[in-house]
Amino acid sequence: IQKLCDRVASSTLLDDRRDAVRALKSLSKKYRLEVGIQAMEHLIHVLQTDRSDSEIIGYALDTLYNVISNDLEEEEQEENTTKQVDDLGSQFTEIFIKQQENVTLLLTLVEEFDFHVRWPGVKLLTSLLKQQGPQVQQIILVSPMGVSRLMDLLADSREVIRNDGVLLLQQLTKSNAAIQKIVAFENAFERLLDIITEEGNSDGIVVEDCLLLLQNLLKNNNSNQNFFKEGSYIQRMKPWFEVGDDNCGWSAQKVTNLHLMLQLVRVLVSPTNPPGATSSCQKAMFHCGLLQQLCTILMATGVPADILTETINTVSEVIRGCQTNQDYFASVNAPSNPPRPAIVVLLMSMVNERQPFVLRCAVLYCFQCFLYKNQKGQGEIVSTLLPSTIDATGNSVSAGQLLCGGLFSTDSLSNWCAAVALAHALQENATLKEQLLRVQLATSIGNPPVSLLQQCTNILSQGSKVQTRVGLLMLLCTWLSNCSIAVTHFLHNPANVPFLTGQIAENLGEEEQLVQGLCALLLGISIYYNDNSLENYRKEKLKQLIEKRIGRENFIEKLGFISKHELYSRAAQKPQPSFSSPDHMMFDHEFTKLVKELEGVISKAIYKSSEEDKKEEEVKKTLEQHDNIVTHYKKVIREQDQELEELKQRVNTLTSQNEQLQATVTQQVSQIQQHKDQYNLLKVQLGKDTQHHNSHGDTFQMNGIQTEEVSKLKEELEEWKNKHELLQGQLKEKDSVIEKLNSSHLEMGTTEQSSQTSKFSGLEHNNELQKELEMLKSQIQLQSAEIAKLQMENQKLQVMNTTADPILGDSGAKAASSSELEGRLEQEIKELKSEVKALSEEKESLKQHLDSSSSTVAILQDEKSKLQREVAESKKEQDDLLVLLADQDQKISALKIKLKDLGVPVEDEDDTESGDQGDEDEDGDEEEQD
């Protein structure tokens, strides 16, 4: 090994180094310690320097894996258990991870696609996590993209690497919430569910590995659970539970996988999760049909016992505290003939002593979850015990009958389970506690029926098994707590109190101490919830009895036996009843809560003197009186609020009506104004017509037209009068309503100060309304004045008509001439109409012409603006050209001066210009000739 290490360290040829590493790999299994001590440093150096050669890297990784992994060591320990080997794996892992760069280097190697590098890299990293999980997790967490690199393993097409990648992520996500979140948000749920679907849902060990990884990600991780639900992954769990009709031949792997699947469902709806998260998952499971699928497995035949037990536990937690799911479960029927409710079938298993203990515990848990916060379900169970609902024929067995049967059977476990189940049916439900007092049982033929309460106390006094007595005492404590009527019924039996005091006072063994504690609790409940209706068993007398027979300190000590018991503390941890053996089945989780609640209260009640009790009762009475006063005032205030609301509504209706009236008044004012204008026009027209036709003797004809107009005005005046009267009637009605409102407000002025302020505001509002109505009245008075004026003018017209009438009477001889005048007038009117028509047509044509001309003007303006733009541009160009020409002229003149200085003959500008002009003139003459 030393020589090989030297060759790895000193050889310059890669082949020599590769052969040396291969030899170390072959020796590493047998001589693990030696290779680990001498070669680890050299192997890490190879990983750092020889990255280009995948073969040597693969050998180095395999050697390190053999040194660090404990798998081979475990096999040796199985063969020879006496051989004690130190935990070399964790020691070598500690050496390897001391330099954090080594783990980072390993992460980069895992990224390589080459199978001979990636696979051993994955195995080595998994082994490091197994040995020193938290430390390696921390290094990976702080390295950049460390977790994301490892997530790529799930997408590898080579199944070996993908499957080992799942195992690596299992180790990586153990007990590390931060890594669990990163893995979940790297789309792990989608990839794992895809793998499970590819592998056939319930078969194969790969499915098991994926399910274990999913459990790691979801258990006690609220954010991941929420992400799983929001991503609609619950819906994808439904196909896992599609069990066919042929349920024979379940393989061990299928049973394991289905068990893990059920546990995964339970992780999402665990009672330890936040209530909101659990509730939303429960609803999602119902809506996607997962609960229905689980109930199908529950009622199926041929399902293995452990799967059936776990399914019952899963259904329990899916329905716990969720009303919709509980209602659905109540409707599920077993496929029997005749069909029976699933609850009844399960209860039959619970009270059957031949069924496995674990299955009976699961059924009890299911029943407890069905009744948890489900008053409807509790009522249905208790109703099956009441005399009016019991089936007289006895063909069908009800849940209540099964519970009673279990309660009084010879099997102590059935007694305990039935007592706890019945206690859950009464949990936090005072009405059902009272109703259960009506239940009568026929004990034997010929004897009168006995109440259920009496029968429970009878069995207690007979000295049955400890488990039976504990169950019955828990039932009685639950029943009597917070129910004074049940306490009175219990104390009414003269044998009960002596039995309890006798049990508490005796010095018995350890087994009986629990019963003594529960008896003390029951007696304490009888004192605390006692309404002193029985003279012989008043609170004070019971306390005196305890003082004489037991002693207060002794009583409190016995009461403390319950909470000090080991089985009590176990039961208080979680709702599911989980017991290692039937003998340990003593306490129920909900009962432990009741004990916590009542223990201190009962201790105080025992030590209270009669004076304190009296004071307490007085305080209670005063509190009750105070409550009554408060409720009375609340009722008064509620009534006043209702009245105020009604008054507000009435005020609102009045305001709306006022607004409508104002609108109508304004409308009428405008209409009156129009009529005035029309009337004035008519007057002017009549004046003109009389002047025009006086010379022709047409005054009588126009007077005839005037009479027609006057009659029209009369009719309109009549209409306005009617409307005016209607408005005045409406105003009177509103006045009366407002007076009533004022009177009602004045009557209600004696109530509380809060309501007075609101009513004063209502009165102010009504005063405002009155002001508005007064304004309306003044407006209407003005209108009536105007109407009076119109009436005066109308009367004048009528006078004019009457003056015209005798003239018409004297001129009877001129009737013929008047008819001619009428004909002429008609003709003139027709001519005028035709002229008006022609003028309107001419106006329309002019309008059209104007429109067309305006459009042409707009077009011309556009063209003008365009031309102006072009002119501006051309001017700019000309200016630029002029500037250029000026520059050229300056240059030419400068050149000419130079040429003259040199003695070269140069033509003057004037000559050239005159020559040019001559040429231009000639051209002009030629053009003219042409």
Side-chain angles (χ1 to χ4, degrees), residues 275-328:
T278 302
S279 176
S280 58
C281 287
Q282 286 172 332
K283 285 171 186 171
M285 285 173 186
F286 174 74
H287 289 304
C288 76
L290 181 60
L291 174 59
Q292 292 84 326
Q293 205 68 48
L294 291 170
C295 289
T296 307
I297 296 173
L298 200 66
M299 294 292 114
T301 51
V303 179
D306 54 344
I307 291 292
L308 184 61
T309 304
E310 192 60 27
T311 306
I312 293 167
N313 285 327
T314 308
V315 169
S316 307
E317 290 182 355
V318 172
I319 66 171
R320 188 177 189 268
C322 180
Q323 190 65 55
T324 313
N325 295 6
Q326 287 167 339
D327 291 345
Y328 170 75

Short mmCIF file of all heavy atoms in Angstrom, two decimals, residues 275-328:
data_model
loop_
_atom_site.label_atom_id
_atom_site.label_comp_id
_atom_site.label_asym_id
_atom_site.label_seq_id
_atom_site.Cartn_x
_atom_site.Cartn_y
_atom_site.Cartn_z
N PRO A 275 -54.30 24.09 11.34
CA PRO A 275 -55.67 23.71 10.97
C PRO A 275 -56.09 24.17 9.57
O PRO A 275 -56.75 23.43 8.85
CB PRO A 275 -56.53 24.41 12.04
CG PRO A 275 -55.61 24.65 13.19
CD PRO A 275 -54.26 24.84 12.61
N GLY A 276 -55.65 25.36 9.18
CA GLY A 276 -56.02 25.87 7.85
C GLY A 276 -55.47 25.01 6.73
O GLY A 276 -56.16 24.70 5.76
N ALA A 277 -54.19 24.61 6.86
CA ALA A 277 -53.54 23.79 5.83
C ALA A 277 -54.21 22.42 5.75
O ALA A 277 -54.49 21.92 4.65
CB ALA A 277 -52.05 23.63 6.16
N THR A 278 -54.47 21.82 6.92
CA THR A 278 -55.13 20.50 6.94
C THR A 278 -56.50 20.57 6.29
O THR A 278 -56.86 19.71 5.47
CB THR A 278 -55.27 20.01 8.40
OG1 THR A 278 -53.97 19.96 8.99
CG2 THR A 278 -55.91 18.64 8.48
N SER A 279 -57.25 21.60 6.63
CA SER A 279 -58.61 21.75 6.09
C SER A 279 -58.62 21.88 4.57
O SER A 279 -59.42 21.23 3.89
CB SER A 279 -59.27 22.98 6.73
OG SER A 279 -60.53 23.20 6.17
N SER A 280 -57.69 22.68 4.02
CA SER A 280 -57.65 22.86 2.57
C SER A 280 -57.25 21.57 1.87
O SER A 280 -57.79 21.25 0.79
CB SER A 280 -56.68 23.98 2.20
OG SER A 280 -55.39 23.70 2.70
N CYS A 281 -56.34 20.79 2.46
CA CYS A 281 -55.95 19.49 1.88
C CYS A 281 -57.12 18.51 1.92
O CYS A 281 -57.34 17.76 0.97
CB CYS A 281 -54.75 18.90 2.62
SG CYS A 281 -53.20 19.75 2.26
N GLN A 282 -57.87 18.51 3.03
CA GLN A 282 -59.04 17.63 3.17
C GLN A 282 -60.07 17.93 2.08
O GLN A 282 -60.62 17.02 1.45
CB GLN A 282 -59.67 17.80 4.55
CG GLN A 282 -58.87 17.18 5.67
CD GLN A 282 -59.41 17.53 7.05
OE1 GLN A 282 -60.02 18.58 7.24
NE2 GLN A 282 -59.20 16.66 8.02
N LYS A 283 -60.32 19.22 1.85
CA LYS A 283 -61.29 19.61 0.81
C LYS A 283 -60.82 19.18 -0.56
O LYS A 283 -61.61 18.69 -1.37
CB LYS A 283 -61.51 21.13 0.85
CG LYS A 283 -62.36 21.59 2.03
CD LYS A 283 -62.37 23.09 2.15
CE LYS A 283 -63.12 23.53 3.42
NZ LYS A 283 -62.96 24.98 3.67
N ALA A 284 -59.51 19.39 -0.83
CA ALA A 284 -58.94 19.00 -2.13
C ALA A 284 -59.07 17.49 -2.34
O ALA A 284 -59.40 17.04 -3.45
CB ALA A 284 -57.48 19.42 -2.20
N MET A 285 -58.86 16.70 -1.29
CA MET A 285 -58.96 15.24 -1.40
C MET A 285 -60.39 14.79 -1.68
O MET A 285 -60.62 13.81 -2.38
CB MET A 285 -58.44 14.57 -0.11
CG MET A 285 -56.93 14.61 -0.01
SD MET A 285 -56.33 14.02 1.57
CE MET A 285 -54.59 14.37 1.41
N PHE A 286 -61.35 15.52 -1.13
CA PHE A 286 -62.76 15.18 -1.40
C PHE A 286 -63.12 15.54 -2.84
O PHE A 286 -63.73 14.75 -3.55
CB PHE A 286 -63.67 15.91 -0.42
CG PHE A 286 -65.14 15.73 -0.72
CD1 PHE A 286 -65.77 14.52 -0.45
CD2 PHE A 286 -65.89 16.73 -1.31
CE1 PHE A 286 -67.11 14.33 -0.74
CE2 PHE A 286 -67.23 16.56 -1.59
CZ PHE A 286 -67.85 15.35 -1.31
N HIS A 287 -62.72 16.73 -3.28
CA HIS A 287 -63.12 17.21 -4.61
C HIS A 287 -62.47 16.40 -5.74
O HIS A 287 -63.06 16.24 -6.80
CB HIS A 287 -62.78 18.69 -4.77
CG HIS A 287 -63.66 19.57 -3.94
ND1 HIS A 287 -65.04 19.56 -4.05
CD2 HIS A 287 -63.38 20.49 -2.97
CE1 HIS A 287 -65.56 20.41 -3.20
NE2 HIS A 287 -64.59 20.99 -2.52
N CYS A 288 -61.24 15.89 -5.50
CA CYS A 288 -60.59 15.12 -6.57
C CYS A 288 -60.96 13.64 -6.53
O CYS A 288 -60.55 12.86 -7.40
CB CYS A 288 -59.07 15.28 -6.51
SG CYS A 288 -58.28 14.34 -5.20
N GLY A 289 -61.74 13.22 -5.52
CA GLY A 289 -62.21 11.82 -5.45
C GLY A 289 -61.28 10.88 -4.72
O GLY A 289 -61.48 9.66 -4.75
N LEU A 290 -60.25 11.43 -4.05
CA LEU A 290 -59.30 10.58 -3.32
C LEU A 290 -59.96 9.92 -2.11
O LEU A 290 -59.75 8.73 -1.85
CB LEU A 290 -58.10 11.43 -2.89
CG LEU A 290 -56.97 10.73 -2.14
CD1 LEU A 290 -56.37 9.62 -2.98
CD2 LEU A 290 -55.87 11.72 -1.78
N LEU A 291 -60.78 10.67 -1.39
CA LEU A 291 -61.49 10.12 -0.23
C LEU A 291 -62.42 8.98 -0.66
O LEU A 291 -62.49 7.93 0.00
CB LEU A 291 -62.29 11.22 0.48
CG LEU A 291 -63.20 10.79 1.64
CD1 LEU A 291 -62.40 10.11 2.74
CD2 LEU A 291 -63.96 11.97 2.21
N GLN A 292 -63.11 9.19 -1.77
CA GLN A 292 -64.02 8.15 -2.29
C GLN A 292 -63.24 6.87 -2.62
O GLN A 292 -63.70 5.76 -2.34
CB GLN A 292 -64.75 8.66 -3.56
CG GLN A 292 -65.73 9.79 -3.29
CD GLN A 292 -65.11 11.17 -3.23
OE1 GLN A 292 -63.98 11.32 -2.79
NE2 GLN A 292 -65.85 12.18 -3.66
N GLN A 293 -62.02 7.05 -3.20
CA GLN A 293 -61.18 5.90 -3.55
C GLN A 293 -60.74 5.16 -2.29
O GLN A 293 -60.72 3.92 -2.27
CB GLN A 293 -59.96 6.42 -4.31
CG GLN A 293 -59.32 5.41 -5.24
CD GLN A 293 -60.20 5.06 -6.42
OE1 GLN A 293 -60.72 5.93 -7.07
NE2 GLN A 293 -60.38 3.78 -6.66
N LEU A 294 -60.38 5.91 -1.25
CA LEU A 294 -59.96 5.28 0.01
C LEU A 294 -61.11 4.52 0.66
O LEU A 294 -60.90 3.43 1.22
CB LEU A 294 -59.44 6.36 0.98
CG LEU A 294 -58.12 7.04 0.61
CD1 LEU A 294 -57.87 8.23 1.52
CD2 LEU A 294 -56.96 6.07 0.68
N CYS A 295 -62.32 5.07 0.57
CA CYS A 295 -63.49 4.37 1.12
C CYS A 295 -63.79 3.09 0.36
O CYS A 295 -64.28 2.11 0.93
CB CYS A 295 -64.71 5.29 1.10
SG CYS A 295 -64.60 6.62 2.32
N THR A 296 -63.46 3.09 -0.94
CA THR A 296 -63.64 1.86 -1.75
C THR A 296 -62.71 0.77 -1.25
O THR A 296 -63.11 -0.40 -1.12
CB THR A 296 -63.34 2.17 -3.24
OG1 THR A 296 -64.12 3.29 -3.64
CG2 THR A 296 -63.66 0.99 -4.13
N ILE A 297 -61.44 1.15 -0.96
CA ILE A 297 -60.48 0.16 -0.40
C ILE A 297 -60.98 -0.32 0.96
O ILE A 297 -60.87 -1.51 1.29
CB ILE A 297 -59.07 0.79 -0.27
CG1 ILE A 297 -58.51 1.16 -1.64
CG2 ILE A 297 -58.12 -0.15 0.45
CD1 ILE A 297 -57.21 1.95 -1.60
N LEU A 298 -61.53 0.60 1.73
CA LEU A 298 -62.02 0.29 3.08
C LEU A 298 -63.09 -0.81 3.05
O LEU A 298 -63.13 -1.68 3.92
CB LEU A 298 -62.61 1.57 3.69
CG LEU A 298 -62.74 1.65 5.20
CD1 LEU A 298 -61.39 1.66 5.85
CD2 LEU A 298 -63.52 2.89 5.57
N MET A 299 -63.95 -0.75 2.04
CA MET A 299 -65.07 -1.69 1.95
C MET A 299 -64.78 -2.88 1.03
O MET A 299 -65.63 -3.74 0.84
CB MET A 299 -66.33 -0.96 1.44
CG MET A 299 -66.86 0.09 2.39
SD MET A 299 -67.55 -0.63 3.91
CE MET A 299 -66.42 -0.03 5.13
N ALA A 300 -63.56 -2.91 0.44
CA ALA A 300 -63.22 -3.99 -0.49
C ALA A 300 -62.87 -5.27 0.27
O ALA A 300 -62.55 -5.23 1.46
CB ALA A 300 -62.04 -3.57 -1.36
N THR A 301 -62.95 -6.38 -0.43
CA THR A 301 -62.60 -7.68 0.18
C THR A 301 -61.22 -8.10 -0.31
O THR A 301 -60.80 -7.74 -1.40
CB THR A 301 -63.64 -8.76 -0.23
OG1 THR A 301 -63.77 -8.74 -1.65
CG2 THR A 301 -64.98 -8.48 0.40
N GLY A 302 -60.55 -8.90 0.51
CA GLY A 302 -59.25 -9.43 0.12
C GLY A 302 -58.09 -8.48 0.33
O GLY A 302 -56.98 -8.74 -0.13
N VAL A 303 -58.32 -7.35 1.00
CA VAL A 303 -57.24 -6.39 1.27
C VAL A 303 -56.46 -6.88 2.49
O VAL A 303 -57.07 -7.26 3.49
CB VAL A 303 -57.82 -4.98 1.52
CG1 VAL A 303 -56.71 -3.99 1.83
CG2 VAL A 303 -58.63 -4.52 0.33
N PRO A 304 -55.11 -6.87 2.43
CA PRO A 304 -54.33 -7.32 3.60
C PRO A 304 -54.66 -6.50 4.84
O PRO A 304 -54.99 -5.32 4.75
CB PRO A 304 -52.87 -7.08 3.16
CG PRO A 304 -52.91 -7.06 1.68
CD PRO A 304 -54.24 -6.51 1.29
N ALA A 305 -54.53 -7.14 6.02
CA ALA A 305 -54.97 -6.54 7.29
C ALA A 305 -54.22 -5.24 7.60
O ALA A 305 -54.83 -4.25 8.03
CB ALA A 305 -54.77 -7.53 8.43
N ASP A 306 -52.89 -5.23 7.38
CA ASP A 306 -52.14 -4.01 7.72
C ASP A 306 -52.49 -2.85 6.78
O ASP A 306 -52.53 -1.69 7.21
CB ASP A 306 -50.63 -4.28 7.72
CG ASP A 306 -50.14 -4.88 6.43
OD1 ASP A 306 -50.98 -5.37 5.65
OD2 ASP A 306 -48.91 -4.88 6.19
N ILE A 307 -52.79 -3.17 5.50
CA ILE A 307 -53.23 -2.12 4.56
C ILE A 307 -54.60 -1.60 4.97
O ILE A 307 -54.86 -0.40 4.96
CB ILE A 307 -53.26 -2.66 3.11
CG1 ILE A 307 -51.85 -2.94 2.61
CG2 ILE A 307 -53.98 -1.69 2.17
CD1 ILE A 307 -50.98 -1.72 2.42
N LEU A 308 -55.49 -2.50 5.36
CA LEU A 308 -56.83 -2.10 5.79
C LEU A 308 -56.75 -1.20 7.03
O LEU A 308 -57.44 -0.17 7.10
CB LEU A 308 -57.67 -3.35 6.10
CG LEU A 308 -59.14 -3.12 6.47
CD1 LEU A 308 -59.89 -2.45 5.34
CD2 LEU A 308 -59.81 -4.43 6.86
N THR A 309 -55.90 -1.57 7.97
CA THR A 309 -55.73 -0.77 9.21
C THR A 309 -55.22 0.62 8.88
O THR A 309 -55.76 1.62 9.37
CB THR A 309 -54.74 -1.48 10.15
OG1 THR A 309 -55.21 -2.81 10.40
CG2 THR A 309 -54.61 -0.74 11.46
N GLU A 310 -54.20 0.67 8.02
CA GLU A 310 -53.63 1.98 7.65
C GLU A 310 -54.63 2.81 6.85
O GLU A 310 -54.69 4.03 6.99
CB GLU A 310 -52.33 1.78 6.86
CG GLU A 310 -51.50 3.04 6.66
CD GLU A 310 -51.04 3.68 7.96
OE1 GLU A 310 -50.88 2.97 8.98
OE2 GLU A 310 -50.85 4.91 7.97
N THR A 311 -55.45 2.14 6.02
CA THR A 311 -56.49 2.85 5.25
C THR A 311 -57.52 3.47 6.19
O THR A 311 -57.95 4.61 5.99
CB THR A 311 -57.18 1.89 4.26
OG1 THR A 311 -56.20 1.25 3.45
CG2 THR A 311 -58.17 2.63 3.36
N ILE A 312 -57.91 2.71 7.24
CA ILE A 312 -58.88 3.24 8.22
C ILE A 312 -58.29 4.47 8.91
O ILE A 312 -58.97 5.49 9.06
CB ILE A 312 -59.26 2.15 9.26
CG1 ILE A 312 -60.05 1.02 8.59
CG2 ILE A 312 -60.08 2.74 10.40
CD1 ILE A 312 -60.22 -0.23 9.43
N ASN A 313 -57.02 4.38 9.29
CA ASN A 313 -56.36 5.53 9.94
C ASN A 313 -56.28 6.74 9.00
O ASN A 313 -56.45 7.88 9.43
CB ASN A 313 -54.94 5.15 10.39
CG ASN A 313 -54.95 4.26 11.63
OD1 ASN A 313 -55.81 4.39 12.50
ND2 ASN A 313 -54.01 3.33 11.72
N THR A 314 -56.03 6.45 7.71
CA THR A 314 -55.93 7.54 6.72
C THR A 314 -57.28 8.21 6.51
O THR A 314 -57.38 9.44 6.52
CB THR A 314 -55.40 6.98 5.38
OG1 THR A 314 -54.20 6.24 5.62
CG2 THR A 314 -55.12 8.09 4.38
N VAL A 315 -58.33 7.39 6.34
CA VAL A 315 -59.69 7.94 6.18
C VAL A 315 -60.05 8.76 7.40
O VAL A 315 -60.66 9.84 7.29
CB VAL A 315 -60.71 6.80 5.93
CG1 VAL A 315 -62.14 7.31 6.04
CG2 VAL A 315 -60.49 6.17 4.57
N SER A 316 -59.66 8.28 8.58
CA SER A 316 -59.94 8.99 9.84
C SER A 316 -59.43 10.42 9.78
O SER A 316 -60.16 11.37 10.09
CB SER A 316 -59.29 8.28 11.02
OG SER A 316 -59.64 6.92 11.05
N GLU A 317 -58.17 10.57 9.36
CA GLU A 317 -57.56 11.91 9.38
C GLU A 317 -58.03 12.77 8.21
O GLU A 317 -58.01 13.99 8.30
CB GLU A 317 -56.03 11.78 9.40
CG GLU A 317 -55.58 11.24 10.75
CD GLU A 317 -54.08 11.10 10.91
OE1 GLU A 317 -53.34 11.34 9.93
OE2 GLU A 317 -53.65 10.74 12.01
N VAL A 318 -58.47 12.14 7.12
CA VAL A 318 -59.01 12.91 5.98
C VAL A 318 -60.37 13.51 6.35
O VAL A 318 -60.71 14.60 5.89
CB VAL A 318 -59.11 12.04 4.71
CG1 VAL A 318 -59.84 12.77 3.59
CG2 VAL A 318 -57.73 11.62 4.23
N ILE A 319 -61.15 12.82 7.22
CA ILE A 319 -62.49 13.34 7.58
C ILE A 319 -62.48 14.12 8.89
O ILE A 319 -63.44 14.82 9.20
CB ILE A 319 -63.53 12.20 7.68
CG1 ILE A 319 -63.23 11.23 8.84
CG2 ILE A 319 -63.67 11.47 6.37
CD1 ILE A 319 -64.32 10.23 9.12
N ARG A 320 -61.40 14.09 9.65
CA ARG A 320 -61.37 14.69 11.00
C ARG A 320 -61.61 16.19 10.95
O ARG A 320 -60.82 16.95 10.38
CB ARG A 320 -60.02 14.40 11.66
CG ARG A 320 -59.95 14.80 13.12
CD ARG A 320 -58.61 14.41 13.71
NE ARG A 320 -58.61 14.60 15.15
CZ ARG A 320 -58.22 15.71 15.76
NH1 ARG A 320 -57.82 16.73 15.05
NH2 ARG A 320 -58.26 15.80 17.08
N GLY A 321 -62.71 16.63 11.55
CA GLY A 321 -63.01 18.06 11.67
C GLY A 321 -63.48 18.73 10.39
O GLY A 321 -63.64 19.93 10.36
N CYS A 322 -63.70 17.95 9.32
CA CYS A 322 -64.15 18.52 8.03
C CYS A 322 -65.59 18.05 7.79
O CYS A 322 -65.82 16.88 7.49
CB CYS A 322 -63.23 18.08 6.89
SG CYS A 322 -63.72 18.72 5.30
N GLN A 323 -66.55 18.97 7.91
CA GLN A 323 -67.97 18.62 7.87
C GLN A 323 -68.37 17.94 6.56
O GLN A 323 -69.10 16.95 6.57
CB GLN A 323 -68.82 19.89 8.07
CG GLN A 323 -70.31 19.63 8.29
CD GLN A 323 -70.62 18.90 9.59
OE1 GLN A 323 -70.22 19.32 10.64
NE2 GLN A 323 -71.31 17.76 9.49
N THR A 324 -67.87 18.44 5.43
CA THR A 324 -68.21 17.87 4.12
C THR A 324 -67.78 16.41 4.04
O THR A 324 -68.55 15.54 3.62
CB THR A 324 -67.53 18.67 2.99
OG1 THR A 324 -67.73 20.06 3.22
CG2 THR A 324 -68.07 18.29 1.63
N ASN A 325 -66.52 16.16 4.44
CA ASN A 325 -65.98 14.79 4.39
C ASN A 325 -66.69 13.87 5.38
O ASN A 325 -66.94 12.70 5.07
CB ASN A 325 -64.48 14.82 4.67
CG ASN A 325 -63.70 15.55 3.59
OD1 ASN A 325 -64.29 16.13 2.69
ND2 ASN A 325 -62.39 15.54 3.68
N GLN A 326 -67.03 14.41 6.55
CA GLN A 326 -67.75 13.60 7.56
C GLN A 326 -69.14 13.21 7.05
O GLN A 326 -69.58 12.08 7.23
CB GLN A 326 -67.85 14.38 8.87
CG GLN A 326 -66.53 14.47 9.62
CD GLN A 326 -66.54 15.50 10.74
OE1 GLN A 326 -67.36 16.42 10.74
NE2 GLN A 326 -65.63 15.37 11.69
N ASP A 327 -69.80 14.16 6.39
CA ASP A 327 -71.14 13.87 5.83
C ASP A 327 -71.05 12.80 4.74
O ASP A 327 -71.90 11.92 4.65
CB ASP A 327 -71.77 15.14 5.25
CG ASP A 327 -72.15 16.14 6.33
OD1 ASP A 327 -72.19 15.74 7.52
OD2 ASP A 327 -72.39 17.32 6.01
N TYR A 328 -69.99 12.89 3.92
CA TYR A 328 -69.81 11.88 2.86
C TYR A 328 -69.58 10.50 3.49
O TYR A 328 -70.19 9.51 3.07
CB TYR A 328 -68.63 12.24 1.95
CG TYR A 328 -68.28 11.10 1.02
CD1 TYR A 328 -69.08 10.79 -0.09
CD2 TYR A 328 -67.19 10.28 1.28
CE1 TYR A 328 -68.78 9.72 -0.90
CE2 TYR A 328 -66.88 9.20 0.47
CZ TYR A 328 -67.68 8.93 -0.63
OH TYR A 328 -67.42 7.85 -1.44
#
